Amino acid sequence: MVLPTTLYTRAVIPSSRWICSKFLSNTSITTRQFSAPAKKVVVIHSIGADRPGIVADVTRIVTDKGGNVGESRAQLLGGHFSLMMQVDIAEKDVGDLQDQLASGVEGMKTECLESVEKNATVAPTIAFAGNFKLSGADNPGIVHKLTSVLARNQLTIANMKTKHEEAPFGGTELFTVEGRSVAYEPLASNFEWTKIQEELKELGDSLNCDIEFDNVTGSTFRD
């Protein structure tokens, strides 16, 4: 007796890896690369008679041109307002920003300067910071003499203010100068802040005033 034979046919389905390899071998793939627009760091300086809305006007123009505000300083002095602001902006928009700032901030003289470090994105590293304060009777050239000592020792002024005030006892008027000086990395090999402190003390003795100088490296920067 011959038993019937049943034939089974198995369909062969290509694997997904084989399909992908065939597709890639027969397909031309074009890649497109996108690059971010070149950036510039600029410093905005605006000065003029004080009024409400100066900072708002400047930042509106910066924002409209796609700029990003970094560090800034503002000061009111004798009815006049001064603003300095570091801005990161696309290089192609720098010219338009300069034009709009020159005419778009009412009552203010406003200019836009390229940063000294053309590719700078962060502030230079401070290696030393020293607070100074002079207090005593005013005399011609006192501020120049103080700042000359700092300059000779490669220190730059980060902030400074001067004022006249009445002495606690008596009607004598005192003159005060105070601020912060800094030195950026790298420090000179012969830099010693205590020598600067001693030099300033000797200057104070010659001017009949007190000069303090303290090492505040690492402390939070404040105006």
Side-chain angles (χ1 to χ4, degrees):
M1 180 177 182
V2 180
L3 296 175
T5 302
T6 303
L7 298 177
Y8 296 92
T9 303
R10 185 173 62 182
V12 179
I13 302 174
S15 67
S16 59
R17 181 180 297 177
W18 180 87
I19 294 173
C20 289
S21 64
K22 292 294 290 181
F23 174 78
L24 292 174
S25 64
N26 295 317
T27 305
S28 175
I29 299 177
T30 301
T31 60
R32 181 179 297 175
Q33 295 182 342
F34 296 91
S35 58
K39 293 283 188 178
K40 273 231 189 258
V41 177
V42 298
V43 175
I44 295 170
H45 180 221
S46 185
I47 186 169
D50 187 37
R51 64 170 175 80
I54 294 172
V55 178
D57 287 348
V58 173
T59 52
R60 171 183 53 79
I61 294 173
V62 170
T63 301
D64 287 347
K65 298 310 299 179
N68 183 52
V69 175
E71 293 186 37
S72 65
R73 300 283 185 274
Q75 183 69 48
L76 181 63
L77 180 65
H80 285 76
F81 182 78
S82 175
L83 170 68
M84 289 188 69
M85 181 180 293
Q86 192 176 59
V87 171
D88 185 46
I89 189 171
E91 186 173 3
K92 65 181 180 63
D93 294 324
V94 172
D96 287 344
L97 178 65
Q98 291 173 327
D99 292 342
Q100 291 190 30
L101 286 171
S103 59
V105 187
E106 182 183 353
M108 302 290 287
K109 180 180 179 181
T110 306
E111 55 185 349
C112 181
L113 309 171
E114 287 190 20
S115 176
V116 174
E117 297 291 338
K118 296 187 181 299
N119 298 317
T121 56
V122 295
T125 302
I126 294 175
F128 171 84
N131 283 353
F132 57 88
K133 182 176 181 179
L134 178 151
S135 180
D138 193 10
N139 64 74
I142 193 169
V143 175
H144 169 68
K145 292 172 183 177
L146 169 65
T147 55
S148 293
V149 172
L150 300 175
R152 281 199 304 271
N153 289 279
Q154 302 302 307
L155 292 174
T156 186
I157 304 297
N159 60 64
M160 185 181 77
K161 60 182 179 180
T162 62
K163 63 180 179 179
H164 289 88
E165 58 185 4
E166 188 174 334
F169 304 101
T172 305
E173 189 177 60
L174 292 179
F175 182 69
T176 62
V177 184
E178 58 183 319
R180 175 170 294 188
S181 59
V182 298
Y184 300 116
E185 289 187 350
L187 280 178
S189 58
N190 62 345
F191 181 88
E192 292 185 36
W193 78 271
T194 53
K195 289 184 177 180
I196 305 172
Q197 185 183 53
E198 183 61 30
E199 190 175 351
L200 288 171
K201 183 179 181 303
E202 291 176 1
L203 174 65
D205 291 342
S206 69
L207 296 173
N208 194 28
C209 62
D210 296 324
I211 302 180
E212 301 172 11
F213 186 68
D214 300 311
N215 184 353
V216 294
T217 305
S219 63
T220 303
F221 185 90
R222 292 180 181 175
D223 288 333

